[in-house]
Amino acid sequence: MARNNPLSLGRDLAIDLGTANTLIYVRGQGIVLDEPSVVAINANDGRPVAVGLEAKRMIGRTPNHIKAIRPLKDGVIADFEVCEKMLRYFIQKVHASKWSKPRMVICVPSGITGVEQRAVQDAAEYATSEKVFIIEEPMAAAIGAGMPVHEPSGNMIVDIGGGTTEVAVISLGGIVTAQSVRVAGDELDEAVLQYIKKEFSLAIGERTAEEIKIQMGSAWPMEQEITADIRGRDLISGLPRTLQVTTEHIREALAEPISAIIDAVKTTLDKTPPELAADIMQDGIMLTGGGALLGGLDERLSHETGMPIRVADEPLYSVVIGSGRALENIDAMRGLMSLGGER
Ligand code: ADP
Ligand code: MG
């Protein structure tokens, strides 16, 4: 009944519960929330002191009694209680009230277990008292990137997020073959941090490592190689120090995790049925997720696989847009989603 109430229109939600970022799409409005999946908790009483962007700013800067937690860090729900609090906070932030009984589509990392998925659904159902549909990440990403997932043709999608890289081949509205590896943006940050420590005896924080990766990381020689100053703490003197690094240094730092991502793409190609592989050869591989923005990753993948590579228009939004499209066409797309307890 509530569904026909004009007050409830525009309240149906699609949520991309990502390991790095959570995004919410409201039916008829578009993306209304885009925040890091981070919660700062006061260890004394277990209460959240900040959620989202504000909490991310605190990473590496908290006093002892505050902990900045990423509840989905490795593509699994590392801290369920915190994850639930975060999800509820975000849903309330977009003013979805229980009384409007919003319908909801949630996209979760495909590495999570059935029990964890059930728990996410419970948290969302608690916040809305309505049925919650779950859509698999590669499916949502492919729809959001504008791929013709219902056609009898091979659509290959590579979603490089914070905690996981998901590679999948989709045809006729179903996932034909898929792989999820726990090497993505976070591993790249960690590789930068370790490299700077080992090569230059300089300690930097995880947020600085991410900034360096975003500003100057690459997977293929750049047209313009640059040098930048980075600041950290000298491991020998213990004092703050400034260091000059080049894009070549950072490329070397990223080499290993990037190879792991490329291997995941190659293994999936290897398992793809020949007809679909021929389609991919023609239509190319679609890159999405924040990691798709890494400099030269497309050239590198094209060089290593011999396939044409495309980068989604707004890679950080593909999943939430795809989930939003599934929400807008819930009856037609019902087959692509699962309801509570189906998995
Ligand atoms: P998730 O879906 O797991 O939440 P996202 O798709 O939101 O992840 O991507 C987040 C990751 O993308 C982070 O590791 C972030 O550092 C990385 N990222 C964002 N922008 C860039 C960029 N320009 N170059 C390289 N990596 C980027
Ligand atoms: Mg994602």
Side-chain angles (χ1 to χ4, degrees):
M1 282 293 103
R3 208 161 288 143
N4 302 320
N5 174 349
L7 284 177
S8 76
L9 285 180
R11 289 254 167 90
D12 289 347
L13 309 179
I15 304 179
D16 168 11
L17 185 60
T19 63
N21 299 297
T22 297
L23 292 91
I24 302 186
Y25 174 107
V26 173
R27 179 185 194 138
Q29 284 179 26
I31 301 167
V32 295
L33 182 136
D34 175 3
E35 301 237 20
S37 307
V38 184
V39 184
I41 298 275
N42 183 331
N44 294 333
D45 57 11
R47 311 232 326 225
V49 292
V51 185
L53 193 58
E54 205 190 327
K56 183 169 180 180
R57 288 207 192 100
M58 295 180 180
I59 292 180
R61 296 195 165 96
T62 53
N64 283 337
H65 70 287
I66 295 177
K67 294 210 154 36
I69 296 176
R70 289 185 47 199
L72 296 141
K73 195 156 193 239
D74 296 308
V76 292
I77 300 185
D79 190 325
F80 181 69
E81 221 173 292
V82 175
C83 180
E84 194 177 23
K85 282 187 180 140
M86 181 181 80
L87 188 58
R88 267 194 218 148
Y89 173 88
F90 287 145
I91 292 172
Q92 272 154 20
K93 195 166 177 186
V94 302
H95 304 296
S97 90
K98 261 186 162 186
W99 314 119
S100 70
K101 285 194 182 282
R103 280 201 277 193
M104 229 187 263
V105 172
I106 301 194
C107 178
V108 295
S110 51
I112 78 169
T113 64
V115 173
E116 289 172 328
Q117 178 184 307
R118 183 68 241 175
V120 169
Q121 278 172 315
D122 286 348
E125 275 162 23
Y126 181 87
T128 66
S129 66
E130 183 66 353
K131 281 278 172 262
V132 173
F133 295 88
I134 297 277
I135 186 164
E136 283 190 82
E137 184 164 19
M139 183 61 79
I143 296 170
M147 302 183 94
V149 296
H150 288 104
E151 304 277 312
S153 70
N155 295 286
M156 186 164 193
I157 180 98
V158 179
D159 179 351
I160 308 167
T164 58
T165 294
E166 316 263 341
V167 188
V169 176
I170 297 170
S171 175
L172 289 167
I175 293 176
V176 179
T177 174
Q179 206 190 351
S180 167
V181 291
R182 288 191 186 158
V183 181
D186 295 339
E187 292 275 326
L188 299 179
D189 301 347
E190 181 63 23
V192 170
L193 189 149
Q194 293 299 339
Y195 179 89
I196 304 282
K197 188 169 162 185
K198 201 168 132 239
E199 298 293 316
F200 303 105
S201 302
L202 191 76
I204 57 170
E206 151 188 344
R207 296 229 35 213
T208 303
E210 181 182 21
E211 272 159 31
I212 296 169
K213 171 192 74 177
I214 291 176
Q215 299 300 328
M216 55 190 305
S218 59
W220 192 248
M222 308 302 287
E223 244 166 58
Q224 255 190 330
E225 300 287 352
I226 56 165
T227 302
D229 284 344
I230 61 174
R231 275 189 287 274
R233 184 171 48 84
D234 189 286
L235 284 167
I236 296 153
S237 72
L239 298 172
R241 170 160 71 95
T242 303
L243 167 78
Q244 279 208 326
V245 291
T246 64
T247 35
E248 281 103 329
H249 286 135
I250 305 305
R251 196 156 53 245
E252 192 183 322
L254 299 176
E256 215 173 288
I258 285 178
S259 296
I261 292 172
I262 290 168
D263 283 347
V265 177
K266 286 186 178 165
T267 339
T268 311
L269 275 173
D270 199 41
K271 287 193 222 138
T272 303
E275 298 289 2
L276 299 180
D279 298 338
I280 296 166
M281 179 99 228
Q282 180 170 343
D283 301 334
I285 299 173
M286 182 73 81
L287 296 189
T288 187
L293 294 166
L294 186 78
L297 185 63
D298 46 352
E299 277 107 319
R300 173 75 182 278
L301 264 169
S302 139
H303 183 80
E304 299 240 5
T305 61
M307 303 279 150
I309 308 290
R310 292 185 291 160
V311 177
D313 276 346
E314 287 185 289
L316 287 157
Y317 296 161
S318 306
V319 166
V320 77
I321 290 174
S323 308
R325 202 153 296 155
L327 176 78
E328 306 264 4
N329 306 289
I330 212 154
D331 298 320
M333 302 225 189
R334 176 68 187 85
L336 305 182
M337 294 178 275
S338 65
L339 258 181
E342 277 181 8
R343 193 159 133 162

